[in-house]
Amino acid sequence: MSLQVEKLENNMAKLTIEVPAEELEKAIERAYQKNKTRISVSGFRRGKAPREIIERIYGKEIFYEDAANALIPDAYEKAYDECAEEIVSSPKIDVEQLEAGKPFIFTAEVALKPQVELGQYKDIKVDKADVDVTEEEITAEIDREREKNSRTVNVEDRAVKDGDVATIDFEGFVDGVAFEGGKGTDYPLTIGSHAFIPGFEEELIGAEIGVQTDVNVTFPEDYQAEELAGKAAVFKCTVKKLQEKQMPELDDDFVGEVSEESDTVEEYKEEIRKKIKKRKTDEAKTVKEDAVIDGIIADAKMDIPEAMIETQQKQMVQEYAQRMQSQGISMEQYMQFTGMTREMLMEQVKPQVLRKIQSRLVLEAVAAAEDIQVTEEEINEEIKSMGEAYRMELDRVEELLGENGKKQVVEDIRVRKAVDLVVESAREE
């Protein structure tokens, strides 16, 4: 195999890959052996017709496509390894020459990793985050815990109020005519959940149990049923059952049930304060990192080829499809439920993909500019962490990684060190 590399505009390149005629001949013979039982030739039992006869009847090109498809993946992989340039996209393949007795020649158009011209990457100015914890935040966090531990009890001596769970019968009318899908029986509705049309739940507040109540609402202009969009409607509703949530008292008994660290209310409040403080500190760290990297990106210059972006878009959509599949939902079902198309999903993830590419490129450039090194101890620690995460022996992890995987591990560590460097040098104001 031989390789020629021609650099194009916008960080693209064309690889011209030549496979010797002998290898093409072997691939054609394999294609013949694979397909001969599927080809009917008069005078021969199926699968017994010589290749020359088949080629004479159907044309010499009959096995070319299968032969090319068999040769291209391996030849491209060898060219990829041999190429001195760093390829960052899937290849666009074009066959240039495919004829028995001659070398097989094809081209692969690929994106190359763009060069980055860094601007300022140290002393980036960022907003200082507020990580102080207020009494209101502590109370709200404790109330959420009380809410999780609340119990539901039946109510019979009052009207509906916000937060209740009302079991209702209802039927909707537009201009005095009942409409399809507007009727329900024994429907449990949490008041304030905004599960129904805007205004519906608010109109039920004050309704008495067993008394029919008219709920007047207007369907949103963008309502999914076009025949109802923007229309005024009346729902005749009857509250058949009413329940309310009763939260436990905030006392030492409650604390003993929900906390393994605290015994008293005051101790529990301090525990919650520390919990909120850690959460806000972690969030502030992430926000600061993002702000610093955004600042570096804004002051850097790089020409990112569209093919590089598209390759990572496809990868992200594929990863999303795999997550959906793990939940028992196929991508086709997801698209049917949401009205999305693959093209819409690709466009939706593009900003996220672009930011990810820009971030990685500038951080790799910072690591190069600062000559950040990685020790063997750090590499071993990273591989050990991978083994623990995947519950695999270290030897097996190293075997699966191979040389290229180990290089990626090193680069990942260098990037993390670059993040630490630029964040530590940032100015909070």
Side-chain angles (χ1 to χ4, degrees):
M1 187 212 78
S2 66
L3 168 66
Q4 291 182 341
V5 180
E6 177 189 355
K7 288 193 176 182
L8 308 174
E9 294 181 343
N10 302 319
N11 287 310
M12 299 294 291
K14 183 167 76 171
L15 313 184
T16 300
I17 302 163
E18 183 175 314
V19 179
E22 311 86 75
E23 289 189 32
L24 174 59
E25 173 56 34
K26 291 177 184 177
I28 293 173
E29 178 63 23
R30 286 195 296 270
Y32 158 69
Q33 295 295 338
K34 174 185 172 184
N35 293 289
K36 64 182 181 180
T37 56
R38 305 173 190 171
I39 301 172
S40 178
V41 177
S42 179
F44 294 90
R45 285 183 297 159
R46 188 175 292 275
K48 297 299 182 180
R51 175 179 147 190
E52 294 78 5
I53 299 295
I54 295 173
E55 290 177 337
R56 191 180 305 156
I57 295 172
Y58 293 99
K60 296 186 71 173
E61 300 83 6
I62 185 170
F63 301 118
Y64 282 4
E65 184 176 352
D66 275 3
N69 288 338
L71 288 172
I72 287 172
D74 186 53
Y76 175 74
E77 185 177 348
K78 290 178 181 176
Y80 179 93
D81 292 338
E82 185 179 320
C83 183
E85 305 293 336
E86 189 168 350
I87 297 170
V88 291
S89 76
S90 301
K92 179 184 176 184
I93 302 293
D94 282 312
V95 173
E96 298 291 326
Q97 178 174 287
L98 177 53
E99 184 179 344
K102 295 182 180 181
F104 170 46
I105 302 173
F106 68 97
T107 61
E109 189 172 307
V110 294
L112 302 180
K113 181 179 176 179
Q115 295 295 312
V116 176
E117 184 182 330
L118 286 172
Q120 181 181 356
Y121 63 87
K122 290 183 178 178
D123 204 32
I124 301 290
K125 177 183 173 183
V126 295
D127 294 332
K128 187 173 183 178
D130 179 12
V131 295
D132 291 335
V133 181
T134 66
E135 291 301 317
E136 290 77 9
E137 288 172 323
I138 295 171
T139 300
E141 185 79 17
I142 292 175
D143 284 347
R144 280 191 287 272
E145 190 63 36
R146 292 172 64 206
E147 174 78 19
K148 286 195 302 187
N149 288 272
S150 63
R151 63 190 184 99
T152 303
V153 297
N154 292 330
V155 176
E156 297 177 353
D157 58 351
R158 64 167 175 78
V160 176
K161 68 178 184 179
D162 193 28
D164 286 344
V165 178
T167 301
I168 62 174
D169 290 348
F170 62 88
E171 186 170 15
F173 299 83
V174 172
D175 296 329
V177 179
F179 56 86
E180 186 177 352
K183 187 174 183 178
T185 304
D186 292 332
Y187 188 93
L189 176 64
T190 299
I191 308 303
S193 65
H194 307 295
F196 269 31
I197 305 161
F200 187 100
E201 294 162 29
E202 290 83 351
E203 286 273 312
L204 270 180
I205 293 175
E208 300 286 344
I209 300 173
V211 179
Q212 187 180 91
T213 301
D214 286 353
V215 171
N216 295 281
V217 294
T218 300
F219 284 97
E221 294 291 341
D222 59 352
Y223 193 66
Q224 57 187 1
E226 293 182 5
E227 67 276 10
L228 297 175
K231 297 283 185 68
V234 177
F235 284 85
K236 296 189 178 298
C237 304
T238 302
V239 178
K240 299 172 71 176
K241 182 180 177 183
L242 194 61
Q243 296 175 303
E244 69 175 5
K245 289 182 179 179
Q246 289 186 349
M247 295 198 300
E249 291 294 324
L250 178 57
D251 53 25
D252 293 350
D253 290 337
F254 169 75
V255 171
E257 290 179 6
V258 300
S259 174
E260 295 181 357
E261 301 176 23
S262 306
D263 296 318
T264 67
V265 172
E266 288 307 311
E267 289 174 351
Y268 185 53
K269 286 183 177 181
E270 186 57 31
E271 176 189 334
I272 294 299
R273 181 188 298 278
K274 291 177 180 177
K275 175 182 174 182
I276 297 173
K277 179 83 169 182
K278 183 181 184 307
R279 183 172 68 228
K280 293 180 79 170
T281 301
D282 290 343
E283 289 171 353
K285 181 183 177 184
T286 300
V287 169
K288 182 179 179 181
E289 285 182 4
D290 289 343
V292 171
I293 294 170
D294 284 342
I296 298 171
I297 291 171
D299 208 31
K301 294 179 182 178
M302 50 191 143
D303 182 12
I304 301 174
E306 194 64 32
M308 181 182 186
I309 299 171
E310 185 178 332
T311 295
Q312 294 206 23
Q313 283 175 278
K314 289 178 180 177
Q315 182 179 334
M316 186 171 286
V317 169
Q318 182 61 33
E319 289 170 355
Y320 187 74
Q322 289 170 350
R323 288 198 297 273
M324 288 290 100
Q325 193 68 47
S326 69
Q327 297 172 24
I329 302 171
S330 70
M331 184 56 88
E332 289 71 25
Q333 289 172 319
Y334 170 77
M335 290 179 179
Q336 185 179 4
F337 296 155
T338 61
M340 295 280 284
T341 64
R342 188 169 290 273
E343 290 72 25
M344 291 166 65
L345 200 53
M346 287 274 286
E347 196 60 31
Q348 189 178 76
V349 303
K350 188 172 183 177
Q352 184 180 351
V353 165
L354 179 59
R355 198 327 183 129
K356 181 180 176 183
I357 292 171
Q358 291 172 325
S359 174
R360 181 76 183 198
L361 287 173
V362 297
L363 290 170
E364 287 179 353
V366 169
E370 293 290 324
D371 192 25
I372 293 176
Q373 300 297 316
V374 177
T375 66
E376 199 65 33
E377 183 181 353
E378 289 170 325
I379 297 170
N380 292 336
E381 190 63 34
E382 184 74 7
I383 294 174
K384 180 183 176 184
S385 296
M386 294 172 69
E388 291 172 352
Y390 294 105
R391 298 180 181 178
M392 296 170 62
E393 295 293 329
L394 291 184
D395 291 346
R396 180 58 177 159
V397 176
E398 291 182 342
E399 180 185 342
L400 290 173
L401 282 174
E403 282 304 311
N404 288 334
K406 195 169 182 180
K407 287 178 183 177
Q408 188 61 53
V409 167
V410 171
E411 199 58 37
D412 289 345
I413 297 172
R414 293 180 76 232
V415 164
R416 289 204 299 270
K417 286 187 166 186
V419 172
D420 292 340
L421 184 149
V422 296
V423 169
E424 286 171 10
S425 73
R427 287 183 292 119
E428 289 185 321
E429 296 184 355

